[in-house]
Amino acid sequence: MKRQFLITGDGSITIHLPEWNEQYHSKHGAIAEARHVFLEAGLHKCLHTFPDQTINILEIGFGTGLNAFLTLIEAQNTNVEVAYTGVEAYPVVLEEVEKLNYTELVAGATELFRQMHELPWEQPNELAMGFRLIKQRKFFSEINEKEHYHCIYFDAFGPRVQPELWTEEIFVKMFRALVAGGVMVTYSAKGSVRRAMQSVGFKVERLPGPPGKREMLRAAKPS
Ligand SMILES: C[S@@+](CC[C@H](N)C(=O)[O-])C[C@H]1O[C@@H](n2cnc3c(N)ncnc32)[C@H](O)[C@@H]1O
């Protein structure tokens, strides 16, 4: 599918898919959305629930690596250990990575962004002290881990274009993959998405959304 590059509201670049009229991030700000939805509502919540532990994060849609990059920087700043798994079926290529401007906008770890993309798939790597990354090239439907992750960044393309990814069938896999007390966060606040999460056992909260969105969802696996 054709990929184009678009400058979002906070100056950070995202990828646009003209065939679907869909973006990898919010048009109102890719970095702003990533920080608000995944770091503040997801990672920070887990740091509070699971203090002094390595936080295991699963990302649904590694894409440009923006969420992983911001998480790495946050882990270094807060002195927290993170083991990050990014699942992706259609990786971006290095030529595309070079068109992204995240390292110009976010201080720190400039070299690491490129290294993150150069790392081989399927091999765990200590990318930086306290930050382990494994990129898994596979479909979300192939995720079968049990009670391993503290946090899931659910960052699939929206339910308008990939409704099959926002179903009970996928959410039950996410529920199983989380430890008790773990959370899954996503930018979508659609009613049908919330109900599908609830029907597999999640306790779902509606939280204020990132710029341009009224609400987002945080789904917790009850303790
Ligand atoms: C919204 S983008 C992810 C953005 C990413 N988190 C970032 O920070 O750039 C969704 C990603 O899911 C991937 N994807 C779409 N369908 C998939 C599937 N069935 N299994 C695995 N990956 C899929 C796409 O290739 C795309 O990279």
Side-chain angles (χ1 to χ4, degrees):
M1 201 178 291
K2 196 168 174 209
R3 293 173 178 151
Q4 296 175 339
F5 292 82
L6 185 85
I7 301 183
T8 68
D10 62 5
S12 52
I13 290 174
T14 192
I15 298 177
H16 171 71
L17 302 178
E19 275 168 59
W20 281 356
N21 189 24
E22 178 75 349
Q23 287 72 233
Y24 276 51
H25 309 97
S26 162
K27 285 202 263 190
H28 298 274
I31 290 180
E33 176 189 52
R35 282 194 172 128
H36 181 98
V37 176
F38 302 109
L39 272 69
E40 287 162 24
L43 176 63
H44 290 179
K45 172 78 174 167
C46 285
L47 295 181
H48 184 75
T49 315
F50 306 102
D52 309 318
Q53 280 191 46
T54 298
I55 303 293
N56 296 330
I57 298 176
L58 170 66
E59 179 173 22
I60 296 301
F62 183 76
T64 64
L66 174 61
N67 293 334
F69 180 58
L70 294 176
T71 301
L72 185 162
I73 293 170
E74 187 70 2
Q76 292 193 321
N77 290 343
T78 51
N79 223 6
V80 163
E81 288 202 4
V82 169
Y84 198 102
T85 302
V87 175
E88 175 59 61
Y90 313 100
V92 295
V93 296
L94 270 182
E95 204 178 65
E96 294 169 318
V97 170
E98 276 157 14
K99 295 190 177 142
L100 302 168
N101 63 352
Y102 307 141
T103 56
E104 291 158 36
L105 299 174
V106 183
T110 303
E111 272 307 303
L112 293 177
F113 185 65
R114 196 188 160 84
Q115 281 175 26
M116 211 168 71
H117 284 284
E118 286 173 343
L119 290 178
W121 291 78
E122 322 305 338
Q123 286 179 28
N125 276 278
E126 180 107 16
L127 187 59
M129 206 158 78
F131 188 89
R132 288 199 304 280
L133 172 66
I134 180 165
K135 300 185 294 179
Q136 297 181 338
R137 186 163 185 179
K138 64 182 183 186
F139 290 106
F140 305 139
S141 54
E142 296 174 283
I143 294 171
N144 287 313
E145 279 106 326
K146 305 267 182 298
E147 307 201 348
H148 178 66
Y149 297 102
H150 301 97
C151 190
I152 297 178
Y153 294 174
F154 198 89
D155 199 14
F157 289 129
R160 176 182 62 86
V161 295
Q162 286 196 297
E164 71 280 8
L165 299 180
W166 300 82
T167 56
E168 289 177 23
E169 201 183 335
I170 295 288
F171 291 144
V172 82
K173 286 178 175 283
M174 302 297 117
F175 190 84
R176 286 189 191 132
L178 281 172
V179 299
V183 292
M184 171 171 75
V185 280
T186 186
Y187 62 86
S188 177
K190 212 172 172 213
S192 57
V193 168
R194 181 168 47 84
R195 288 188 291 277
M197 290 174 177
Q198 284 167 332
S199 69
V200 303
F202 280 113
K203 201 164 169 285
V204 187
E205 284 173 274
R206 279 185 285 212
L207 302 175
K213 284 216 77 183
R214 204 160 55 87
E215 293 181 327
M216 58 162 282
L217 298 177
R218 180 165 62 202
K221 179 166 178 170
S223 305

Short mmCIF file of all heavy atoms in Angstrom, two decimals, residues 107-150:
data_model
loop_
_atom_site.label_atom_id
_atom_site.label_comp_id
_atom_site.label_asym_id
_atom_site.label_seq_id
_atom_site.Cartn_x
_atom_site.Cartn_y
_atom_site.Cartn_z
N ALA A 107 14.66 15.45 22.48
CA ALA A 107 16.08 15.39 22.84
C ALA A 107 16.45 14.01 23.39
O ALA A 107 15.64 13.37 24.06
CB ALA A 107 16.38 16.45 23.89
N GLY A 108 17.65 13.58 23.06
CA GLY A 108 18.16 12.32 23.63
C GLY A 108 17.98 11.14 22.69
O GLY A 108 17.04 11.09 21.89
N ALA A 109 18.91 10.21 22.78
CA ALA A 109 18.78 8.91 22.11
C ALA A 109 18.70 8.95 20.58
O ALA A 109 18.14 8.06 19.96
CB ALA A 109 17.58 8.16 22.68
N THR A 110 19.28 10.01 19.97
CA THR A 110 19.18 10.18 18.52
C THR A 110 19.63 8.93 17.75
O THR A 110 18.91 8.44 16.88
CB THR A 110 20.04 11.39 18.08
OG1 THR A 110 19.57 12.51 18.82
CG2 THR A 110 19.92 11.66 16.60
N GLU A 111 20.82 8.45 18.09
CA GLU A 111 21.35 7.28 17.39
C GLU A 111 20.46 6.05 17.60
O GLU A 111 20.36 5.18 16.74
CB GLU A 111 22.75 6.97 17.90
CG GLU A 111 23.83 7.73 17.15
CD GLU A 111 23.71 7.53 15.65
OE1 GLU A 111 23.74 6.38 15.21
OE2 GLU A 111 23.57 8.53 14.92
N LEU A 112 19.86 5.99 18.79
CA LEU A 112 19.10 4.79 19.14
C LEU A 112 17.88 4.60 18.25
O LEU A 112 17.41 3.49 18.05
CB LEU A 112 18.70 4.84 20.62
CG LEU A 112 19.87 4.74 21.60
CD1 LEU A 112 19.37 4.85 23.03
CD2 LEU A 112 20.59 3.41 21.42
N PHE A 113 17.32 5.68 17.74
CA PHE A 113 16.13 5.55 16.89
C PHE A 113 16.47 4.75 15.63
O PHE A 113 15.75 3.83 15.25
CB PHE A 113 15.57 6.93 16.52
CG PHE A 113 14.29 6.87 15.74
CD1 PHE A 113 13.13 6.34 16.32
CD2 PHE A 113 14.22 7.29 14.42
CE1 PHE A 113 11.94 6.26 15.60
CE2 PHE A 113 13.03 7.21 13.70
CZ PHE A 113 11.90 6.70 14.29
N ARG A 114 17.58 5.11 15.02
CA ARG A 114 18.00 4.38 13.83
C ARG A 114 18.36 2.93 14.18
O ARG A 114 17.95 1.99 13.49
CB ARG A 114 19.19 5.10 13.19
CG ARG A 114 19.45 4.66 11.77
CD ARG A 114 20.72 5.21 11.19
NE ARG A 114 21.11 4.39 10.07
CZ ARG A 114 20.62 4.52 8.84
NH1 ARG A 114 19.76 5.46 8.58
NH2 ARG A 114 21.00 3.71 7.89
N GLN A 115 19.10 2.78 15.27
CA GLN A 115 19.50 1.42 15.70
C GLN A 115 18.28 0.53 15.93
O GLN A 115 18.28 -0.64 15.60
CB GLN A 115 20.31 1.49 16.98
CG GLN A 115 21.75 1.90 16.77
CD GLN A 115 22.47 2.08 18.09
OE1 GLN A 115 22.11 1.47 19.10
NE2 GLN A 115 23.48 2.93 18.11
N MET A 116 17.25 1.16 16.51
CA MET A 116 16.02 0.42 16.79
C MET A 116 15.46 -0.21 15.50
O MET A 116 14.99 -1.34 15.48
CB MET A 116 15.01 1.46 17.30
CG MET A 116 14.02 0.98 18.27
SD MET A 116 13.18 2.43 18.99
CE MET A 116 12.22 2.97 17.61
N HIS A 117 15.56 0.55 14.42
CA HIS A 117 15.04 0.05 13.14
C HIS A 117 16.01 -0.92 12.46
O HIS A 117 15.58 -1.75 11.67
CB HIS A 117 14.70 1.23 12.23
CG HIS A 117 13.42 1.91 12.63
ND1 HIS A 117 12.19 1.37 12.36
CD2 HIS A 117 13.19 3.03 13.34
CE1 HIS A 117 11.25 2.15 12.86
NE2 HIS A 117 11.82 3.17 13.46
N GLU A 118 17.29 -0.77 12.76
CA GLU A 118 18.27 -1.65 12.12
C GLU A 118 18.36 -3.02 12.79
O GLU A 118 18.84 -3.97 12.20
CB GLU A 118 19.65 -0.98 12.13
CG GLU A 118 19.74 0.15 11.12
CD GLU A 118 21.03 0.95 11.24
OE1 GLU A 118 21.70 0.86 12.27
OE2 GLU A 118 21.34 1.68 10.29
N LEU A 119 17.88 -3.10 14.02
CA LEU A 119 17.95 -4.37 14.74
C LEU A 119 17.23 -5.47 13.97
O LEU A 119 16.18 -5.22 13.38
CB LEU A 119 17.25 -4.27 16.10
CG LEU A 119 17.89 -3.41 17.18
CD1 LEU A 119 17.00 -3.43 18.42
CD2 LEU A 119 19.27 -3.93 17.52
N PRO A 120 17.79 -6.68 14.01
CA PRO A 120 17.08 -7.77 13.33
C PRO A 120 15.77 -8.12 14.04
O PRO A 120 15.66 -7.93 15.25
CB PRO A 120 18.07 -8.93 13.42
CG PRO A 120 19.06 -8.55 14.48
CD PRO A 120 19.06 -7.06 14.61
N TRP A 121 14.84 -8.61 13.28
CA TRP A 121 13.57 -9.04 13.84
C TRP A 121 13.75 -10.33 14.62
O TRP A 121 14.70 -11.08 14.36
CB TRP A 121 12.54 -9.22 12.72
CG TRP A 121 12.18 -7.87 12.13
CD1 TRP A 121 12.94 -7.16 11.24
CD2 TRP A 121 11.05 -7.06 12.46
NE1 TRP A 121 12.33 -5.96 10.99
CE2 TRP A 121 11.18 -5.86 11.71
CE3 TRP A 121 9.96 -7.21 13.30
CZ2 TRP A 121 10.23 -4.83 11.79
CZ3 TRP A 121 9.01 -6.18 13.36
CH2 TRP A 121 9.15 -5.01 12.62
N GLU A 122 12.89 -10.55 15.57
CA GLU A 122 12.79 -11.79 16.37
C GLU A 122 13.93 -11.97 17.38
O GLU A 122 13.94 -12.95 18.10
CB GLU A 122 12.72 -13.08 15.52
CG GLU A 122 11.92 -13.00 14.24
CD GLU A 122 10.49 -12.52 14.42
OE1 GLU A 122 9.95 -12.63 15.54
OE2 GLU A 122 9.92 -12.02 13.44
N GLN A 123 14.89 -11.05 17.44
CA GLN A 123 16.01 -11.23 18.39
C GLN A 123 15.94 -10.18 19.49
O GLN A 123 15.97 -9.00 19.18
CB GLN A 123 17.34 -11.09 17.67
CG GLN A 123 17.66 -12.28 16.81
CD GLN A 123 18.97 -12.09 16.08
OE1 GLN A 123 19.87 -11.40 16.54
NE2 GLN A 123 19.07 -12.72 14.91
N PRO A 124 15.86 -10.63 20.75
CA PRO A 124 15.84 -9.64 21.84
C PRO A 124 17.17 -8.88 21.88
O PRO A 124 18.23 -9.49 21.69
CB PRO A 124 15.66 -10.49 23.11
CG PRO A 124 15.59 -11.90 22.68
CD PRO A 124 15.86 -12.00 21.22
N ASN A 125 17.10 -7.59 22.09
CA ASN A 125 18.30 -6.75 22.15
C ASN A 125 18.23 -5.80 23.31
O ASN A 125 17.19 -5.19 23.53
CB ASN A 125 18.38 -5.90 20.88
CG ASN A 125 19.02 -6.66 19.76
OD1 ASN A 125 20.22 -6.74 19.68
ND2 ASN A 125 18.17 -7.25 18.92
N GLU A 126 19.36 -5.62 24.00
CA GLU A 126 19.45 -4.59 25.04
C GLU A 126 19.85 -3.32 24.29
O GLU A 126 21.02 -3.03 24.10
CB GLU A 126 20.50 -4.99 26.09
CG GLU A 126 20.66 -3.99 27.20
CD GLU A 126 20.05 -4.45 28.52
OE1 GLU A 126 19.76 -5.65 28.67
OE2 GLU A 126 19.87 -3.60 29.40
N LEU A 127 18.86 -2.59 23.83
CA LEU A 127 19.11 -1.42 22.98
C LEU A 127 19.80 -0.31 23.76
O LEU A 127 20.65 0.41 23.24
CB LEU A 127 17.77 -0.93 22.41
CG LEU A 127 17.81 0.17 21.39
CD1 LEU A 127 18.62 -0.23 20.16
CD2 LEU A 127 16.40 0.53 20.96
N ALA A 128 19.40 -0.15 25.01
CA ALA A 128 20.06 0.81 25.90
C ALA A 128 19.98 0.20 27.29
O ALA A 128 19.20 -0.73 27.50
CB ALA A 128 19.30 2.13 25.86
N MET A 129 20.77 0.76 28.22
CA MET A 129 20.75 0.16 29.55
C MET A 129 19.33 0.24 30.11
O MET A 129 18.72 1.31 30.13
CB MET A 129 21.72 0.87 30.47
CG MET A 129 22.18 -0.06 31.55
SD MET A 129 23.72 0.44 32.25
CE MET A 129 23.19 1.74 33.31
N GLY A 130 18.78 -0.91 30.50
CA GLY A 130 17.45 -0.92 31.08
C GLY A 130 16.32 -0.96 30.05
O GLY A 130 15.15 -0.91 30.42
N PHE A 131 16.66 -1.02 28.77
CA PHE A 131 15.59 -1.08 27.75
C PHE A 131 15.87 -2.22 26.78
O PHE A 131 16.77 -2.16 25.95
CB PHE A 131 15.49 0.24 26.98
CG PHE A 131 14.28 0.29 26.06
CD1 PHE A 131 13.06 0.77 26.51
CD2 PHE A 131 14.37 -0.13 24.74
CE1 PHE A 131 11.95 0.82 25.67
CE2 PHE A 131 13.26 -0.09 23.88
CZ PHE A 131 12.06 0.39 24.36
N ARG A 132 15.08 -3.29 26.92
CA ARG A 132 15.22 -4.44 26.02
C ARG A 132 14.11 -4.39 24.98
O ARG A 132 12.95 -4.12 25.33
CB ARG A 132 15.11 -5.77 26.79
CG ARG A 132 16.32 -6.06 27.65
CD ARG A 132 16.39 -7.54 28.02
NE ARG A 132 15.19 -8.04 28.68
CZ ARG A 132 14.93 -7.86 29.97
NH1 ARG A 132 15.77 -7.19 30.73
NH2 ARG A 132 13.84 -8.36 30.50
N LEU A 133 14.47 -4.63 23.75
CA LEU A 133 13.48 -4.57 22.67
C LEU A 133 13.52 -5.86 21.86
O LEU A 133 14.58 -6.36 21.51
CB LEU A 133 13.81 -3.40 21.73
CG LEU A 133 13.00 -3.29 20.43
CD1 LEU A 133 11.52 -2.98 20.73
CD2 LEU A 133 13.57 -2.20 19.52
N ILE A 134 12.30 -6.38 21.60
CA ILE A 134 12.21 -7.43 20.58
C ILE A 134 11.12 -7.02 19.60
O ILE A 134 10.01 -6.65 20.01
CB ILE A 134 11.96 -8.85 21.17
CG1 ILE A 134 11.87 -9.87 20.03
CG2 ILE A 134 10.74 -8.92 22.06
CD1 ILE A 134 11.98 -11.31 20.46
N LYS A 135 11.48 -7.04 18.33
CA LYS A 135 10.50 -6.73 17.28
C LYS A 135 10.06 -8.08 16.69
O LYS A 135 10.92 -8.87 16.27
CB LYS A 135 11.14 -5.88 16.19
CG LYS A 135 11.67 -4.55 16.68
CD LYS A 135 12.18 -3.69 15.53
CE LYS A 135 13.39 -4.29 14.86
NZ LYS A 135 13.91 -3.49 13.73
N GLN A 136 8.77 -8.29 16.69
CA GLN A 136 8.27 -9.57 16.16
C GLN A 136 7.48 -9.30 14.88
O GLN A 136 6.51 -8.54 14.91
CB GLN A 136 7.37 -10.25 17.18
CG GLN A 136 8.11 -10.62 18.46
CD GLN A 136 7.22 -11.32 19.47
OE1 GLN A 136 5.99 -11.20 19.43
NE2 GLN A 136 7.84 -12.03 20.39
N ARG A 137 7.93 -9.93 13.80
CA ARG A 137 7.23 -9.73 12.54
C ARG A 137 6.16 -10.80 12.41
O ARG A 137 6.44 -11.96 12.07
CB ARG A 137 8.22 -9.81 11.39
CG ARG A 137 7.55 -9.47 10.10
CD ARG A 137 8.49 -9.13 9.01
NE ARG A 137 7.72 -8.70 7.87
CZ ARG A 137 8.22 -8.32 6.73
NH1 ARG A 137 9.51 -8.26 6.58
NH2 ARG A 137 7.44 -7.96 5.73
N LYS A 138 4.95 -10.44 12.74
CA LYS A 138 3.84 -11.40 12.65
C LYS A 138 2.51 -10.66 12.71
O LYS A 138 2.48 -9.43 12.94
CB LYS A 138 3.94 -12.43 13.78
CG LYS A 138 3.80 -11.86 15.18
CD LYS A 138 3.96 -12.99 16.21
CE LYS A 138 3.75 -12.49 17.62
NZ LYS A 138 4.03 -13.51 18.63
N PHE A 139 1.44 -11.39 12.54
CA PHE A 139 0.10 -10.79 12.63
C PHE A 139 -0.35 -10.77 14.09
O PHE A 139 0.03 -11.63 14.88
CB PHE A 139 -0.89 -11.59 11.79
CG PHE A 139 -0.65 -11.43 10.31
CD1 PHE A 139 -0.07 -12.46 9.58
CD2 PHE A 139 -0.98 -10.25 9.66
CE1 PHE A 139 0.19 -12.30 8.22
CE2 PHE A 139 -0.73 -10.07 8.30
CZ PHE A 139 -0.14 -11.10 7.58
N PHE A 140 -1.19 -9.80 14.41
CA PHE A 140 -1.70 -9.69 15.79
C PHE A 140 -2.45 -10.97 16.19
O PHE A 140 -2.43 -11.37 17.34
CB PHE A 140 -2.63 -8.49 15.94
CG PHE A 140 -2.01 -7.17 15.52
CD1 PHE A 140 -2.76 -6.23 14.80
CD2 PHE A 140 -0.70 -6.87 15.83
CE1 PHE A 140 -2.19 -5.02 14.42
CE2 PHE A 140 -0.12 -5.66 15.45
CZ PHE A 140 -0.87 -4.74 14.74
N SER A 141 -3.09 -11.59 15.21
CA SER A 141 -3.87 -12.81 15.51
C SER A 141 -2.97 -13.96 15.96
O SER A 141 -3.46 -14.96 16.49
CB SER A 141 -4.67 -13.22 14.27
OG SER A 141 -3.78 -13.35 13.19
N GLU A 142 -1.66 -13.81 15.76
CA GLU A 142 -0.72 -14.88 16.16
C GLU A 142 -0.17 -14.69 17.57
O GLU A 142 0.69 -15.45 18.00
CB GLU A 142 0.46 -14.92 15.17
CG GLU A 142 0.03 -15.29 13.76
CD GLU A 142 1.18 -15.18 12.79
OE1 GLU A 142 1.53 -14.05 12.39
OE2 GLU A 142 1.75 -16.22 12.43
N ILE A 143 -0.64 -13.66 18.26
CA ILE A 143 -0.15 -13.42 19.64
C ILE A 143 -0.85 -14.40 20.58
O ILE A 143 -2.08 -14.43 20.65
CB ILE A 143 -0.43 -11.95 20.06
CG1 ILE A 143 0.39 -10.99 19.19
CG2 ILE A 143 -0.14 -11.73 21.55
CD1 ILE A 143 0.05 -9.53 19.35
N ASN A 144 -0.04 -15.19 21.29
CA ASN A 144 -0.64 -16.21 22.18
C ASN A 144 -0.02 -16.25 23.56
O ASN A 144 -0.16 -17.24 24.26
CB ASN A 144 -0.51 -17.60 21.52
CG ASN A 144 -1.48 -17.73 20.37
OD1 ASN A 144 -2.65 -17.38 20.48
ND2 ASN A 144 -0.97 -18.18 19.23
N GLU A 145 0.70 -15.17 23.97
CA GLU A 145 1.33 -15.19 25.29
C GLU A 145 0.27 -15.15 26.38
O GLU A 145 -0.84 -14.65 26.18
CB GLU A 145 2.25 -13.98 25.49
CG GLU A 145 3.61 -14.18 24.87
CD GLU A 145 3.75 -13.36 23.62
OE1 GLU A 145 2.72 -13.18 22.91
OE2 GLU A 145 4.87 -12.90 23.36
N LYS A 146 0.66 -15.67 27.54
CA LYS A 146 -0.27 -15.69 28.69
C LYS A 146 0.35 -14.96 29.87
O LYS A 146 1.48 -15.23 30.25
CB LYS A 146 -0.55 -17.14 29.13
CG LYS A 146 -1.07 -18.04 28.03
CD LYS A 146 -2.59 -18.06 28.00
CE LYS A 146 -3.13 -18.99 26.93
NZ LYS A 146 -2.81 -18.70 25.55
N GLU A 147 -0.41 -14.05 30.44
CA GLU A 147 -0.07 -13.37 31.70
C GLU A 147 1.39 -12.91 31.75
O GLU A 147 2.11 -13.22 32.69
CB GLU A 147 -0.39 -14.28 32.88
CG GLU A 147 -1.81 -14.75 32.79
CD GLU A 147 -2.40 -15.23 34.09
OE1 GLU A 147 -1.66 -15.42 35.06
OE2 GLU A 147 -3.63 -15.40 34.12
N HIS A 148 1.78 -12.17 30.76
CA HIS A 148 3.18 -11.73 30.69
C HIS A 148 3.33 -10.20 30.74
O HIS A 148 4.25 -9.69 31.37
CB HIS A 148 3.81 -12.28 29.42
CG HIS A 148 5.23 -11.85 29.24
ND1 HIS A 148 6.25 -12.25 30.09
CD2 HIS A 148 5.81 -11.01 28.34
CE1 HIS A 148 7.38 -11.70 29.71
NE2 HIS A 148 7.15 -10.93 28.65
N TYR A 149 2.44 -9.49 30.06
CA TYR A 149 2.64 -8.04 29.90
C TYR A 149 1.92 -7.25 31.00
O TYR A 149 0.84 -7.61 31.44
CB TYR A 149 2.12 -7.59 28.52
CG TYR A 149 2.91 -8.23 27.41
CD1 TYR A 149 2.38 -9.31 26.69
CD2 TYR A 149 4.19 -7.79 27.10
CE1 TYR A 149 3.12 -9.92 25.69
CE2 TYR A 149 4.93 -8.40 26.10
CZ TYR A 149 4.39 -9.46 25.40
OH TYR A 149 5.13 -10.06 24.41
N HIS A 150 2.59 -6.12 31.38
CA HIS A 150 1.96 -5.20 32.33
C HIS A 150 1.15 -4.15 31.59
O HIS A 150 0.22 -3.58 32.14
CB HIS A 150 3.05 -4.50 33.17
CG HIS A 150 3.89 -5.46 33.94
ND1 HIS A 150 5.12 -5.90 33.49
CD2 HIS A 150 3.67 -6.09 35.11
CE1 HIS A 150 5.62 -6.76 34.37
NE2 HIS A 150 4.77 -6.90 35.35
#
